[in-house]
Amino acid sequence: MFMSSYQSLTIDSAAALVKKLGLFDESESLTSNEIGDGNLNYVFHIKGTDNSVIVKQALPYAKVVGESWPLTLERADIENRALRIQGTFSPHYTPKVYYSDKDLAITIMEDLSHLEIARTGLINGQDYPHIARHTGEFIARTLYGTSDFALGPQEKKKLQHTFSNPELCDITEGLVFTDPFFDAETNDFEEALRPEVESLWGDNELKLHAAQLKRLFLTSGDALLHGDLHTGSIFASETETKIIDPEFAFYGPFGFDIAHFTANLLMNALSRAENRREPLYEHVTTVWNVFTQEFTRLWQENNTEAFADTDGYLEWLLDDVFKQATGFMGLEMIRRTIGLAHVKDLDGIEDDTARLQAKRRSLSIGAHFVKERASYSSAEQLVAAFKEAVK
Amino acid sequence: MFMSSYQSLTIDSAAALVKKLGLFDESESLTSNEIGDGNLNYVFHIKGTDNSVIVKQALPYAKVVGESWPLTLERADIENRALRIQGTFSPHYTPKVYYSDKDLAITIMEDLSHLEIARTGLINGQDYPHIARHTGEFIARTLYGTSDFALGPQEKKKLQHTFSNPELCDITEGLVFTDPFFDAETNDFEEALRPEVESLWGDNELKLHAAQLKRLFLTSGDALLHGDLHTGSIFASETETKIIDPEFAFYGPFGFDIAHFTANLLMNALSRAENRREPLYEHVTTVWNVFTQEFTRLWQENNTEAFADTDGYLEWLLDDVFKQATGFMGLEMIRRTIGLAHVKDLDGIEDDTARLQAKRRSLSIGAHFVKERASYSSAEQLVAAFKEAVK
């Protein structure tokens, strides 16, 4: 459906496009570079005299394997529309979108190259003192704002209808919720971990809990999720935080985004010396406390639900979200250790013994959170259990 | 969007249409009658020499109030498409669709006038020995067949996308899940019940449970529901059962349809002499046992879910569905007693004392099932509790 008018941008045609759109003066001299390190998109960085933009174009195939793995371009449209909605509810933490073209799968947006990908910074020892507060506010605002509570069920269903995203959900359903629990071809783990991995494949209790969490992901349409909110989807500095790349956006369960953020914080903690972990523990408690406070504030300020004032409803909901998120967090720790997509935090530990210890801990702590999620009700408890497990 | 080409059928133009479509011979003499007793649709019964059909046309307003209450005609398209899908998975219990026209909101279907609306028959003392088995099979087949398990998540999401039904869901969200728990204008109850109704409005525990069940209805997309499967949506005889009128169809929680069927059976039981209730109790246990068996058979025969063989998954799922359905059943009993849409089973009890006793029981038993749903795990337990409550 898109292919008829689609053609790939080049560094020259990308520069010509931004001029044609009036984002720069006709006479201005521009530099244009392709800086994408992913394999699904072109990313052009275009710089003029005192202004710069990013031109992102989705590729109709995975670049890494030539044209052999076709992907629909609809993900660019999903990302563009998700950015605009997130920008409405959380402008401080969302890149500005200047222009989009659905047929060409192009989004032109704010240049964030003065910031750093948070995963990279965390690995290099940055602590980003505000990242957890900002991310907690982002998640609370974007999720609450697109929920039944804020929009009312009719408007919510209309918005939900525009964010059906089967193709990218399929990736998550496979790589996060399924493949790590079976001897699947996509799995990728160090041979030294085979005993732990085979024991995991044989752990029926764990698989039953994974199946329950997968069912939530497949069937619960609480709010418009980011859908891939790990530390590689965050640009950060000491003062700023921007959440990027919401191409996995769809209506899913409230607990999913915060779970991925906290899982990736804890995996970074596993890669750090013991005396450098505290900032990450604080991020885990802060993101939960800020999320809870902000969700509560929005609930009290603007709520279309007749039962909003029913004693215990908000508390029940938040506790339910916390428990499901604890499970999702555990699943993310497992799949980032033995599934297809690893994290550099763990893979980058050079010492074999230390790296294998960190990965074994990621697996065992992840499995514990999945199985025991119902017994947790605060981030402080999660952190205490984590500390105990890495003592 | 529909109004441009829409025009209402008459008994003559309906007859002309079925001839034009070749459903009858050009030379055949037809009788055409408008038999709709609802206020949302025209229903024409058209009879030839040895054949007959039903022509149903949705009205763009509620007939009972003239043209003052506009409704989109999309519901006719939803109903038509739901009938075709239900007919694929459960042909024996679904009326055949011969023709549909989206712009005119017309569906031409099998004439079922040799059958009787089950509610009417049950009120008149019919027992319909096969109705529970047939309905249990219908629910299991249509729900399982449209679930993630049968279709796989990608195909399921695509089908789900075509069944967004905000307008009719809004009716259920208001009339079933909200209004009966507040002093809402839509409520309608006998003044003698005011003490019970006010006590219900003040019952925070009940409202908390109602809010939890409403959240499931708003956010859980398990399968394509019928959406309004009470005994007034069933045509029956001693041998046949046909489920009609799926205009409320949408992707909702597995337990909803069976809950509405069983709630209406139990309300009929409340209207009967004690020695005439047993067939209804048997229907309640039969529909659950047949649903469970049939869902299990389909699960084992055709399942795309990698976790399908995980020990305990199916059992956990069925128990979860049972508990949510117990809650939905209780809500249906409450709203049919004090909400906008009553049931003739209760309203038709002529003796004031008997009628008020039945209604009080419907309220108190309904509230019990809502609050205590987590403690029930079999239909036999539900029936035992019901019997105890009406002793």
Side-chain angles (χ1 to χ4, degrees), chain A residues 23-79:
Chain A
L23 296 169
F24 296 88
D25 281 344
E26 192 55 53
S27 61
E28 209 168 339
S29 159
L30 301 184
T31 60
S32 177
N33 290 295
E34 209 282 307
I35 57 166
D37 64 347
N39 50 31
L40 305 177
N41 306 290
Y42 282 128
V43 181
F44 300 96
H45 181 243
I46 300 178
K47 204 171 151 46
T49 318
D50 41 31
N51 193 11
S52 58
V53 299
I54 292 293
V55 179
K56 183 169 175 181
Q57 182 179 39
L59 292 169
Y61 48 83
K63 209 160 72 176
V64 71
V65 289
E67 303 198 9
S68 63
W69 184 14
L71 287 166
T72 72
L73 296 172
E74 201 160 347
R75 68 189 195 281
D77 181 51
I78 295 264
E79 174 174 3

Side-chain angles (χ1 to χ4, degrees), chain A residues 157 161 173 215 219 221-222, chain B residues 157 161 173 215 219 221-222:
Chain A
K157 282 188 190 72
H161 187 251
E173 287 151 14
R215 181 166 179 249
T219 62
D222 283 327
Chain B
K157 283 189 189 71
H161 187 252
E173 287 151 13
R215 180 167 178 248
T219 63
D222 284 326

Side-chain angles (χ1 to χ4, degrees), chain B residues 151-187:
Chain B
L151 296 178
Q154 291 216 63
E155 286 310 307
K156 179 258 197 162
K157 283 189 189 71
K158 287 175 192 166
L159 185 60
Q160 180 174 21
H161 187 252
T162 67
F163 278 97
S164 180
N165 196 355
E167 189 177 60
L168 273 77
C169 284
D170 180 60
I171 296 175
T172 307
E173 287 151 13
L175 298 186
V176 178
F177 287 98
T178 310
D179 295 354
F181 301 93
F182 299 90
D183 188 1
E185 277 191 20
T186 57
N187 289 330

Side-chain angles (χ1 to χ4, degrees), chain A residues 148-149 153-154 156-158 160-162 164-167 169-170 173 177-178 181-182 204 207-208 210-212 214-215 218-222 250 254 305-307 309-313 316-317 320-321 324, chain B residues 148-149 153-154 156-158 160-162 164-167 169-170 173 177-178 181-182 204 207-208 210-212 214-215 218-222 250 254 305-307 309-313 316-317 320-321 324:
Chain A
D148 283 298
F149 304 110
Q154 291 215 64
K156 180 258 195 162
K157 282 188 190 72
K158 287 174 192 167
Q160 180 174 19
H161 187 251
T162 68
S164 181
N165 196 354
E167 189 177 59
C169 285
D170 180 60
E173 287 151 14
F177 288 98
T178 310
F181 300 94
F182 298 91
N204 189 80
K207 289 165 89 164
L208 177 56
Q212 292 169 345
K214 180 178 179 183
R215 181 166 179 249
L218 289 173
T219 62
S220 294
D222 283 327
F250 80 110
F254 276 136
E305 173 56 66
F307 291 102
D309 296 332
T310 300
D311 279 353
Y313 185 26
W316 168 81
L317 176 66
D320 189 53
V321 171
Q324 62 166 248
Chain B
D148 283 299
F149 302 109
Q154 291 216 63
K156 179 258 197 162
K157 283 189 189 71
K158 287 175 192 166
Q160 180 174 21
H161 187 252
T162 67
S164 180
N165 196 355
E167 189 177 60
C169 284
D170 180 60
E173 287 151 13
F177 287 98
T178 310
F181 301 93
F182 299 90
N204 190 80
K207 288 165 90 163
L208 177 55
Q212 293 169 345
K214 181 179 179 183
R215 180 167 178 248
L218 289 173
T219 63
S220 295
D222 284 326
F250 80 110
F254 277 135
E305 173 55 67
F307 291 102
D309 296 332
T310 301
D311 280 351
Y313 185 25
W316 168 80
L317 176 67
D320 191 54
V321 171
Q324 61 166 249

